[in-house]
Amino acid sequence: MIISRTVQDVRSLSSVAKASGRKVALVPTMGYLHEGHASLIRRAREEAGFVIVSIFVNPTQFGPNEDLDRYPRDFERDRETCIRSGADAIFAPSVEEMYPAGFSTFIEVEGGMTRFLCGARRPGHFRGVATIVGKLFIAAQPDVSVFGQKDAQQAAVVMKMTREMGLPVRIVVSPIVRESDGLAMSSRNSYLTPEERLAAPLLKRSLDDAAELFHKGERTTEKLTEAVLRRLAGSPLIKPDYVEIVDNETFEPAARITERPVCLAVAAYLGKTRLIDNLVLGVEK
Ligand code: AMP
């Protein structure tokens, strides 16, 4: 496993791989890897002959009262997961490497897409995401980059940013990987107390309740979000942050579901831990 710590180094790794005729894939992560990340790496392996996993806890995407300082880290375990999943290299730069002193250049996707869901609840979050992903793309020069459906709005923001900045990177979105009880895998699940962990699968069950209503013909977003909230109310440990239905491409709120697929997204606090999950509802033609 090649470990690269600098932009210059990862760029030369990428150009050497390309010179040998291989496509380069990048899987951006914040580390503390789990099976969700591993599935992205395996997908990247199918797409390209040289797979780079970036591990960087990006300070600019955390708000002042968020969990930057306590975000979990375990580089040795991550390295093993990368090897096991078929990665060729890890790019793990320092904060100073990505944000040298005096850094003041940002990429911001403005308007619609970033005004709702996590964009509304975490001011500045997607500015940090767009900036770091743009910087990672410029550093590692991938042909393709794999993101998880788990962070659906993030994937949409990255696709828009990549297209509008004219970066020659194909974005692939890979399905959500879940624990056997339905809880979407997340590095943040490690924060949960045993009681919170028992309650956490209600997030997925609440989405399933709405999906069931949808498949019975319900098309008003109000009724569907009500079903989600009803299920979440089943545990006093869960405090919903948002439940919203947005267009699956623009991420702007949808009042009624017509012919375009929508994303039903939920965020909720369990104690101090904020978890997100989502489900795409498509209208069959
Ligand atoms: P993170 O390390 O949480 O920033 O996530 C890095 C990438 O892994 C993002 O593209 C996430 O959407 C993706 N990811 C995180 N959890 C999952 C999961 N349970 N299933 C699929 N992809 C995931």
Side-chain angles (χ1 to χ4, degrees):
M1 175 64 52
I2 306 165
I3 313 275
S4 161
R5 300 277 179 190
T6 66
V7 168
Q8 199 187 344
D9 191 38
V10 77
R11 184 169 296 148
S12 71
L13 279 179
S14 176
S15 58
V16 168
K18 286 180 183 179
S20 72
R22 288 186 277 180
K23 289 242 179 284
V24 173
L26 175 70
V27 181
T29 82
M30 298 206 300
Y32 213 67
L33 304 180
H34 49 66
E35 265 313 295
H37 297 112
S39 74
L40 266 46
I41 300 169
R42 287 193 294 270
R43 179 64 197 270
R45 178 85 276 163
E46 288 169 17
E47 300 282 342
F50 193 76
V51 175
I52 305 170
V53 177
S54 65
I55 297 180
F56 181 65
V57 181
N58 174 37
T60 63
Q61 72 188 67
F62 287 78
N65 299 313
E66 294 184 354
D67 56 343
L68 174 61
D69 293 340
R70 63 179 190 130
Y71 198 84
R73 297 161 201 248
D74 187 341
F75 188 77
E76 207 27 59
R77 206 183 57 149
D78 288 350
R79 201 175 72 86
E80 281 159 22
T81 304
C82 287
I83 294 171
R84 178 166 54 75
S85 313
D88 298 289
I90 294 174
F91 177 46
S94 65
V95 172
E96 295 70 34
E97 178 70 11
M98 297 314 279
Y99 299 112
F103 184 93
S104 64
T105 305
F106 288 85
I107 302 175
E108 187 155 10
V109 176
E110 289 189 343
M113 179 169 288
T114 54
R115 275 215 314 271
F116 306 99
L117 312 176
C118 290
R121 304 298 164 140
R122 304 182 67 188
H125 172 66
F126 287 121
R127 180 184 193 242
V129 168
T131 301
I132 194 61
V133 172
K135 282 177 68 69
L136 289 169
F137 285 180
I138 291 164
Q141 316 241 313
D143 298 289
V144 54
S145 187
V146 185
F147 290 80
Q149 173 65 22
K150 162 83 188 335
D151 299 86
Q153 190 178 16
Q154 168 175 283
V157 168
V158 165
M159 275 192 251
K160 192 166 197 286
M161 181 279 288
T162 306
R163 192 172 61 242
E164 293 180 358
M165 297 297 287
L167 301 176
V169 185
R170 185 162 56 87
I171 308 298
V172 170
V173 181
S174 190
I176 302 178
V177 176
R178 300 178 179 281
E179 302 285 356
S180 55
D181 59 10
L183 175 63
M185 289 190 180
S186 165
S187 308
R188 290 188 167 99
N189 291 349
S190 63
Y191 298 148
L192 300 173
T193 64
E195 294 74 23
E196 289 164 355
R197 176 64 188 81
L198 277 176
L202 277 189
L203 261 72
K204 173 62 163 66
R205 285 183 60 195
S206 73
L207 296 176
D208 289 341
D209 286 355
E212 202 182 313
L213 275 183
F214 176 81
H215 292 303
K216 285 184 184 152
E218 183 57 65
R219 292 291 181 269
T220 57
T221 56
E222 206 182 13
K223 289 269 162 44
L224 297 170
T225 54
E226 261 170 35
V228 173
L229 288 167
R230 208 174 314 123
R231 176 66 72 178
L232 294 180
S235 168
L237 297 180
I238 298 184
K239 306 271 177 272
D241 187 27
Y242 64 70
V243 179
E244 278 180 64
I245 297 184
V246 293
D247 182 277
N248 195 43
E249 249 175 56
T250 65
F251 273 74
E252 301 207 24
R256 238 188 100 75
I257 306 172
T258 51
E259 67 277 6
R260 288 168 64 83
V262 295
C263 181
L264 167 56
V266 59
Y269 284 95
L270 288 92
K272 285 201 191 106
T273 307
R274 185 173 176 280
L275 300 181
I276 58 172
D277 202 344
N278 70 84
L279 200 69
V280 175
L281 298 172
V283 179
E284 283 145 37
K285 290 190 189 133

